[in-house]
Amino acid sequence: MTLELDARQRALKQMLEIRLAEEKIQELFLANLIRGTTHLAIGQEAVAAGSTAALIPGDKVTCTYRGHHHALALGMTLRGMMGEMMGKATGACKGKGGSMHMTDATIGLLGANAIVGAQLPIALGAALTAQVKKTGNIAVTFFGEAASNIGAFHEALNMASIWKLPVLFICENNLYGEYSVWSKTTPIQNIADRAAAYNIPGVMVDGQDTEAVYQVVKTAADRARTGQGPSLIECKTYRYRGHSRTDTAPYRKPGELDEWLQRDPINILKERMIADGQLDEVEYEELRQAAETAVVDAIEWAKNEPFPALESLYADVYYEG
Amino acid sequence: MPEMTYREAVAKALADELASDPDVIFFGEDVGEAGGVFKVTPGLYERFGGDRVRDTPISEQAIIGTALGAAITGLRPVAELMFADFVPVALDQIANQVAKYRYMSGGQFVVPLTIRAAQGGGNGFGTQHSQCAESWLMNFPGIKVVSPSTPVDMYGLLRGAIRENNPVFVLEHKGLYNLKGEVPDDTAPMNLGEAKVVRAGSHVTVVASQLMLHRALEAAAALAKEGIEVEVIDLRSFVPLDKTTILQSLAKTNRLVVVEEAPHQAGWGGDIVSLAADEGVYWLAAPVKRVNMGGALIAYSPPLEDEVLPNVGRITRAIRDVLAA
């Protein structure tokens, strides 16, 4: 199952924007325009682009602090994201969230979470709403392979299975949980195998291939929408950068990054579109340029936006009214 | 006027809210077909069906996280944690998620979520099934906390909590489930954040809640025979805190005793004393006293449990101390 032309174009544009935005975000950190920490998803773009291509309006998503790609693929504006990165009043979360908490309720993004695994049970709740209200919508929750070692993962898969909730558990196995290669912390080969313990389908897919991701997510989504319950999908992928901004990833095996670069998710889709006569190098370069322009525009815009008024510190602790 | 137990008041409040709003759902461990381990919720599953009244696995993180996710997407869930001692099992979901979800999104969500839990000692449940949770929860802005002490307040505050567009913990004291009281048919959902003067007096103010409130009232009744007029305030709501009612009483009595069913360190009584020091210090005619569990833990053996929880004797002594000062 391949994507239609317009969906391929959309995915390619998304992935280029994600890639360029992430690279710029790293620069902004080094220039001290962004504080704290950040977790880049460079190399994992196809997971976000492929998965979100299978979603429909009303579907809900929770994700992780390495979640800029999910947010942009779902439709968060570059300006909203860059504004939030810089803690500006007009950022996606009015400056209250930052890099690790990208949230946009208007596009179904219920929030990126800075606690490993915490977003899984929250997605169950969105799925419960869809089930009780019979909306035909689903919830999707993204997490890394290391999150499959935390209790919330197991509680969430178990309860979702018992209740047959319309929720997809999408694992981005990028091989590293923070600074540790996952084989050191996890006694099984494939995270997808954990699905068996909860009597739900567990599917593995090449996480660098946008359309392969789309295909398995679409199949699982159709299943969930028709009351057949949750699925666990393991996307085999790779993060090109370290865990967070100060990590240069010295723990990687020599040559490992180069091997993965040979299977770059943007290149895979690009080459496929060229082979199918849907794209040429000139058009690709135009797309890349347009993405770069959009990213730069968002950054320049965000730089000039105001910080939140200090009174806003006390706003939205509670809903008033 | 109908009389019912505190336990029945919980069930009636849940039933009335489930009946009045189709978005209300209720789930927790053994709350459905079994009717709850404290037999607080019998009949709800049969009446409202398994879609809206659900039994969960023993998975406290999943229970709270699911309730949060449901609350921000259009339902009005009531989640039960069974024993309040299980709050720490789900503490990430409570402290990092429920409390912060609205705030860290810049106000994108309302979180109409109620979490019920049974708390309190005095029944021989031992050290991991007897604690009170208010002091733990008060350190997480974003959550409201109420602890009803009577059947009518149980009914009204639980309904008020379910209608509230913020996360609310409703803490039920296990030692009060059999307490009977009048709950008028027209009892409306109550506002959170209001303390109540349940016994008027002019000599000393006692602030307490739940089991400790009833013990304070017992002490006050005995002291009245000696002409000592104790004003007893049922705090009812820990967050928000009704400063006005406390300060007005302090302005009248000039003396303060706080009775907590909690350890002394970082216990909620410290906040009441801090309020008195910050905003009521010129009214104070004597040092304030906190009666609580000190630095001890709840033990199983009956005489030890009786000793650790403030009793009428200790409350009476504290009142006499501040009056003598």
Side-chain angles (χ1 to χ4, degrees), chain B:
Chain B
M1 202 175 273
E3 192 176 73
M4 68 178 72
T5 63
Y6 186 85
R7 172 186 280 111
E8 289 163 345
V10 176
K12 185 170 180 349
L14 282 168
D16 287 353
E17 288 305 305
L18 281 159
S20 73
D21 182 350
D23 287 340
V24 175
I25 56 167
F26 171 48
F27 53 85
E29 296 157 10
D30 297 322
V31 302
E33 291 187 72
V37 294
F38 302 109
K39 298 299 168 208
V40 172
T41 56
L44 295 177
Y45 176 83
E46 290 75 12
R47 182 173 166 194
F48 296 101
D51 213 31
R52 295 181 64 203
V53 178
R54 294 183 181 222
D55 290 312
T56 67
I58 300 176
S59 299
E60 284 81 10
Q61 293 186 68
I63 291 169
I64 301 303
T66 299
L68 169 60
I72 60 174
T73 51
L75 292 176
R76 193 169 280 278
V78 181
E80 182 185 303
L81 270 184
M82 196 183 289
F83 285 86
D85 308 74
F86 306 160
V87 161
V89 181
L91 197 58
D92 169 57
Q93 288 294 335
I94 293 164
N96 284 321
Q97 312 303 332
V98 169
K100 297 178 173 62
Y101 229 75
R102 176 176 176 79
Y103 189 77
M104 68 185 180
S105 70
Q108 294 185 54
F109 303 108
V110 291
V111 188
L113 165 60
T114 302
I115 304 172
R116 296 176 42 239
Q119 67 170 5
N123 294 298
F125 278 95
T127 197
Q128 294 176 337
H129 274 51
S130 300
Q131 300 163 93
C132 288
E134 292 96 349
S135 298
W136 303 339
L137 296 167
M138 284 172 72
N139 207 233
F140 307 123
I143 292 175
K144 297 188 175 185
V145 184
V146 297
S147 299
S149 305
T150 62
V152 67
D153 282 356
M154 185 71 249
Y155 177 77
L157 286 171
L158 180 51
R159 288 192 68 192
I162 294 170
R163 293 188 179 205
E164 167 79 32
N165 285 321
N166 283 293
V168 185
F169 261 87
V170 179
L171 299 166
E172 302 161 13
H173 200 290
K174 296 193 290 292
L176 300 179
Y177 275 135
N178 293 326
L179 180 73
K180 282 188 175 171
E182 284 171 355
V183 180
D185 281 330
D186 59 352
T187 303
M190 292 174 183
N191 293 330
L192 313 183
E194 294 175 10
K196 187 154 66 177
V197 176
V198 292
R199 182 186 177 104
S202 57
H203 294 148
V204 56
T205 298
V206 175
V207 176
S209 174
Q210 294 193 326
L211 185 64
M212 297 302 107
L213 175 86
H214 293 282
R215 291 183 177 179
L217 285 169
E218 212 180 306
L223 288 164
K225 292 176 187 145
E226 302 173 22
I228 296 171
E229 296 174 20
V230 180
E231 179 144 303
V232 181
I233 294 176
D234 180 358
L235 202 53
R236 302 205 303 166
S237 175
F238 288 75
V239 182
L241 192 63
D242 180 357
K243 296 180 179 183
T244 307
T245 296
I246 296 166
L247 290 170
Q248 278 174 351
S249 178
L250 213 52
K252 183 169 74 171
T253 66
N254 311 123
R255 286 174 165 81
L256 176 64
V257 172
V258 185
V259 189
E260 299 157 275
E261 187 176 338
H264 183 87
Q265 58 212 53
W268 60 263
D271 277 26
I272 309 297
V273 172
S274 159
L275 172 68
D278 286 346
E279 299 180 44
V281 70
Y282 298 114
W283 292 318
L284 287 176
V288 300
K289 280 274 182 202
R290 288 172 65 188
V291 188
N292 51 38
M293 290 164 45
L297 302 171
I298 294 175
Y300 166 70
S301 177
L304 295 180
E305 186 174 21
D306 289 348
E307 179 64 16
V308 76
L309 300 179
N311 54 32
V312 175
R314 281 171 61 196
I315 296 166
T316 305
R317 274 199 299 283
I319 292 169
R320 290 191 195 282
D321 283 352
V322 301
L323 285 168

Side-chain angles (χ1 to χ4, degrees), chain A residues 270 273-274 277-287:
Chain A
K270 173 193 165 193
M273 289 177 72
I274 288 174
Q278 296 171 333
L279 185 74
D280 61 31
E281 287 290 351
V282 175
E283 287 166 339
Y284 174 77
E285 183 53 27
E286 282 169 6
L287 275 176

